[in-house]
Amino acid sequence: MNLINEVDKPEVKKTVVIYAGRFQPFHKGHFDAYNRLVSKFGSDSVYIGTSNDTSGTKSPFNFNEKKKIATTMFGIPYNHFVQIKNPYKPVEILKGFDGKTTQYIAAVGEKDATRLHGKYFKPYQGKAGYGYEEIGYVYPVPAEANPISGTDVRKGLGGDAKEAEKFFLKAYPKFNKEIFKMITNK
């Protein structure tokens, strides 16, 4: 890929930050990362992308279930939680923006930041640069102090009913019977 001449380069006017992942299920750790992104880039710029993949025991939730958890339990805007096929090429979101004047930032966990490099992905340096047709930027989201994982949530909610109810409040801000039942039935 050849970068266009700096003189001819269109001005970047919009930033789209896409926090993509499996979210099996979406929980307070994911919400913490989302909030950090919203604080830095603004709520209109941040999107969550995830697939509909339910293959394997580590991926029990389909897209609609993940979206219901995120929007019901955390108030994620419905139109900012989008089904995508490829987490690092989220065309389903980007197609709504001009590729020359919109920069794309892939928000990833710190451990995943090294996966994205090469000719297309560059580290985000804090300023607008190129539109997503030319370059994608990588922004590692700092981990929260006491992280919780999807595995922790699946284990904590997969056992004894009383213990699962207690654990639910570690992973979610409030108790919601419908969401609790949906998760524990998986």
Side-chain angles (χ1 to χ4, degrees):
M1 171 183 336
N2 293 332
L3 297 179
I4 56 179
N5 183 323
E6 289 291 323
V7 175
D8 299 328
K9 183 177 84 167
E11 179 184 351
V12 171
K13 298 176 183 173
K14 174 90 176 138
T15 297
V16 173
V17 179
I18 302 173
Y19 177 37
R22 290 184 331 110
F23 307 117
Q24 290 286 351
F26 196 88
H27 56 70
K28 74 172 189 158
H30 298 128
F31 185 61
D32 179 72
Y34 172 82
N35 274 338
R36 289 172 190 235
L37 294 168
V38 166
S39 292
K40 183 165 183 66
F41 298 102
S43 61
D44 288 346
S45 297
V46 180
Y47 291 79
I48 295 174
T50 192
S51 74
N52 194 40
D53 183 8
T54 56
S55 61
T57 57
K58 289 186 175 184
S59 298
F61 300 95
N62 67 37
F63 173 78
N64 289 329
E65 291 166 330
K66 292 185 276 186
K67 186 171 190 169
K68 183 164 183 75
I69 293 166
T71 57
T72 301
M73 298 306 295
F74 298 102
I76 303 293
Y78 196 78
N79 62 337
H80 280 235
F81 198 98
V82 181
Q83 185 174 333
I84 60 175
K85 289 181 183 170
N86 182 337
Y88 305 121
K89 192 176 180 185
V91 295
E92 298 86 351
I93 297 170
L94 293 174
K95 70 182 178 185
F97 301 95
D98 184 316
K100 293 181 183 352
T101 62
T102 302
Q103 72 176 349
Y104 158 47
I105 300 172
V108 296
E110 290 175 317
K111 68 179 181 178
D112 294 327
T114 57
R115 292 183 191 176
L116 302 178
H117 51 74
K119 290 183 178 180
Y120 182 70
F121 281 107
K122 305 294 180 205
Y124 178 69
Q125 301 292 334
K127 62 180 179 162
Y130 291 90
Y132 72 80
E133 285 181 0
E134 296 288 328
I135 289 178
Y137 295 94
V138 178
Y139 177 75
V141 182
E144 64 181 330
N146 296 306
I148 187 170
S149 71
T151 301
D152 295 336
V153 174
R154 288 189 306 273
K155 282 182 182 176
L157 296 176
D160 174 71
K162 283 192 182 249
E163 291 300 314
E165 277 192 43
K166 282 197 285 190
F167 186 85
F168 189 85
L169 292 174
K170 291 181 181 177
Y172 298 96
K174 62 187 182 264
F175 189 79
N176 179 296
K177 189 175 182 178
E178 179 186 4
I179 298 295
F180 175 77
K181 186 176 178 180
M182 179 176 62
I183 294 173
T184 56
N185 282 343
K186 290 285 181 170

